[in-house]
Amino acid sequence: MVTLGKSTKISRGMVSLRRRRPFQLMVLRRLRELKKIVPVGARRKADVDTVLRQTAEYICALEMKVAILRRLSDIYGV
């Protein structure tokens, strides 16, 4: 046990949880923003694995579109 102040006792697990909490909140906030940007499908409450997989697929699709547009630009000289 860790003693804080006069009579407050907190287990070591709680202390490490408080240190991790800002990081977890930051990750959740960024996942929420990512869900707004990336089309995740019909389910808005998708789990983290689904969101990251959909994000990777979306990035690949965007890279393919950029490559196609570059080729078309080279062909037509635009």
Side-chain angles (χ1 to χ4, degrees):
M1 289 259 183
V2 176
T3 304
L4 297 175
K6 293 182 180 179
S7 62
T8 307
K9 291 186 178 181
I10 299 174
S11 67
R12 289 183 186 266
M14 288 297 292
V15 172
S16 65
L17 179 64
R18 285 188 179 180
R19 276 190 225 136
R20 281 186 296 178
R21 189 96 177 143
F23 179 74
Q24 289 174 341
L25 291 174
M26 178 189 66
V27 169
L28 290 174
R29 186 172 38 244
R30 289 184 179 179
L31 275 172
R32 208 171 29 246
E33 291 298 319
L34 193 59
K35 284 181 183 180
K36 291 178 186 176
I37 297 170
V38 176
V40 188
R43 297 185 311 170
R44 275 311 231 182
K45 296 198 176 203
D47 60 340
V48 176
D49 293 336
T50 304
V51 172
L52 294 178
R53 185 176 44 79
Q54 291 287 348
T55 302
E57 291 174 4
Y58 186 62
I59 290 170
C60 289
L62 289 176
E63 288 175 341
M64 174 104 41
K65 288 179 182 180
V66 168
I68 290 170
L69 289 172
R70 282 187 178 150
R71 297 260 173 134
L72 287 172
S73 175
D74 290 342
I75 291 171
Y76 293 107
V78 177

